[in-house]
Amino acid sequence: MSTAVLDTLPQSLAEKIEHAVQVRTGGRIRGLQVRISNSAIVISGRASSYYNKQLVTHAVMDACNDLAVTNEVEVA
């Protein structure tokens, strides 16, 4: 996906990713935020386990497998 496409549709892509994470984790990520910039996706928030953090990564990769993903979800 080109950067131009990301610039024109970041909100809908961010919403798609957020929904995928919510579904995959059962809503267990608190303060979930999705940022898209420079052909990369950055996910942040808080999870109660490393397993839930891993689920976030897989949900994002399944939702848009052609972009780099940085998982900044904290386990607390």
Side-chain angles (χ1 to χ4, degrees):
M1 184 175 286
S2 72
T3 303
V5 172
L6 289 177
D7 290 340
T8 59
L9 297 174
Q11 191 64 25
S12 62
L13 180 57
E15 288 174 355
K16 175 184 174 184
I17 293 166
E18 185 174 336
H19 178 72
V21 169
Q22 296 275 355
V23 169
R24 179 71 66 96
T25 65
R28 291 179 291 231
I29 308 302
R30 297 177 308 260
L32 177 64
Q33 292 185 339
V34 178
R35 296 185 311 276
I36 302 170
S37 63
N38 299 329
S39 300
I41 299 166
V42 179
I43 306 294
S44 60
R46 290 185 175 236
S48 60
S49 69
Y50 284 101
Y51 175 72
N52 286 330
K53 180 175 178 161
Q54 185 178 17
L55 288 177
V56 170
T57 299
H58 287 280
V60 175
M61 290 171 58
D62 288 347
C64 51
N65 58 6
D66 57 342
L67 299 173
V69 177
T70 300
N71 185 340
E72 295 181 351
V73 171
E74 295 179 23
V75 177

